[in-house]
Amino acid sequence: MTDSRDGASAPAAAQETDVLIIGGGPGGATAAALLAERGLRVVLAEKSRHPRFHIGESLLPANLPLFDKLGVADEVRAIGMEKWGAEFVSPWHAQKSQSFVFADAWDKSMPMAYQVRRSDFDHILIRNAARKGAQVVEGCEVRDVRFLPDAQGAVISAAQDDGSLAVWRARYVIDASGRDTFLSSRFKAKHRDPKHNSAALYAHFTGAQRHAGKEQGNITIFWFDHGWFWFIPLADGATSVGAVVWPYFLKTRGSRSLEQFFADTIAMSPALSARLEGAARVTEVEATGNFSYRSDRTHGPNYLLIGDAYAFIDPVFSSGVMLAMQGAFVAAETVDVCLRHPARAAQALARFDHQIRFGPREFSWFIYRVNHPTMRDMFMGPSNLWRVKEALLSVLAGDIFGTTPIWNSLRLLKGIFYLASLRHLGRSWRAALLRKRQIRPEPLETSSG
């Protein structure tokens, strides 16, 4: 990518558009639909062809109002497994499991969410963008973005899977490229999160044991010595299972295949192993490292970053899709203001910057501490003193962008955490030393062989 300020103009063959969006996941497809609805010319360039596999199947209640606004609520409902809550399972507590239901959150109007197969879910959103008038170009990998001087926009070059080259001149670029972090990587603005670091192994299974009745779709989090597991039931009978582990743990793989290493890791959790007794793995085991990063910017001249293209921390609270879609709503409003009302651009960009940074920051406090023994105690023995449990459930539901008055209770919750940590100072000190080792980065081998 080049950032041209030398007065070069776009090639004559470049197609003109108002907005070019890199990436057709939930963030990119949402932004494309919203901007097209506003009457702007939108190109959505997606390197894959939908439907395609993607991890991250668990949605939050705060997603549902966004589906309504996009007009896809019925389609998502048709593919979704109802998710009414979350279960935490601990090998270190006498009460082995603790369940939370979203109906107990501060705002009772968002009592459930969905688990979805992401290939189907993402396909719904990208089709919706096309219906709304966006030009969706799949099998189209953006290779270069050249920003023009004096805020004239950008020239974007992309390789299509038929071997041809596509070139657009856009007034604005939205990077929704996910963990590819297209612009952030090329600007060298992407940095490892110094406060968190994890890797993940995951696959889909059939025949896993689910809870009965209304709880059958709940996500279960299993803590174990080296991190935590997710267990996400899907509507078609498959179950997504993943291990989020500290980087040092990956070095213990040795010569074992990724499949064997994943099986051996699952065996470290008797509770998860019991749920998978008789189950069959039906996909290859995948691995990804460097899970935690953040860009040092959310925007620049004629571009915005949303979703994982800006930051990703850890999937323990299933915040990724919600943050990407929420960011897309703010991005669409921001771009519309910048293009139609440039005198208000600075104000709009400041609001965008605040909103994009706000979500990851609020989730981060809990994510950084979710494996701390004090936080585990609080999850396994919750109290609603001063409505702190309701406030926590609001965070877990993704209800952090509205007017729900949770913030004083969250401050009290954090105070309780710190006081309880001081009460067990020796344990907390040992936990701090352990975490320092846990977040030390290590190389990750991601092959499936």
Side-chain angles (χ1 to χ4, degrees), residues 112-130:
M112 55 85 68
Y114 297 110
Q115 319 279 22
V116 294
R117 188 178 283 274
R118 280 290 301 278
S119 55
D120 297 333
F121 174 73
D122 290 6
H123 197 201
I124 287 171
L125 294 183
I126 204 168
R127 286 201 318 263
N128 185 59

Side-chain angles (χ1 to χ4, degrees), residues 101-174:
V101 293
F102 296 123
D104 289 340
W106 200 296
D107 182 350
K108 315 302 181 187
S109 69
M110 296 188 293
M112 55 85 68
Y114 297 110
Q115 319 279 22
V116 294
R117 188 178 283 274
R118 280 290 301 278
S119 55
D120 297 333
F121 174 73
D122 290 6
H123 197 201
I124 287 171
L125 294 183
I126 204 168
R127 286 201 318 263
N128 185 59
R131 282 198 304 267
K132 296 292 176 62
Q135 179 186 351
V136 174
V137 188
E138 299 181 69
C140 181
E141 183 176 2
V142 173
R143 297 286 180 83
D144 183 74
V145 176
R146 179 164 56 89
F147 288 97
L148 302 172
D150 303 321
Q152 295 179 52
V155 176
I156 303 95
S157 301
Q160 303 192 87
D161 56 10
D162 63 1
S164 62
L165 179 70
V167 181
W168 289 275
R169 176 167 174 165
R171 299 167 66 194
Y172 230 95
V173 175
I174 295 177

Side-chain angles (χ1 to χ4, degrees), residues 22 41 52 89 106 146 153 163 185 189 229 259 262 289 312 384 386 390 405 437:
I22 306 172
R41 297 170 298 171
R52 64 2 176 197
V89 177
W106 200 296
R146 179 164 56 89
S185 293
F229 295 95
E259 288 76 12
F262 187 44
F312 187 80
N384 198 35
W386 302 307
E390 290 175 79
R437 179 196 175 210

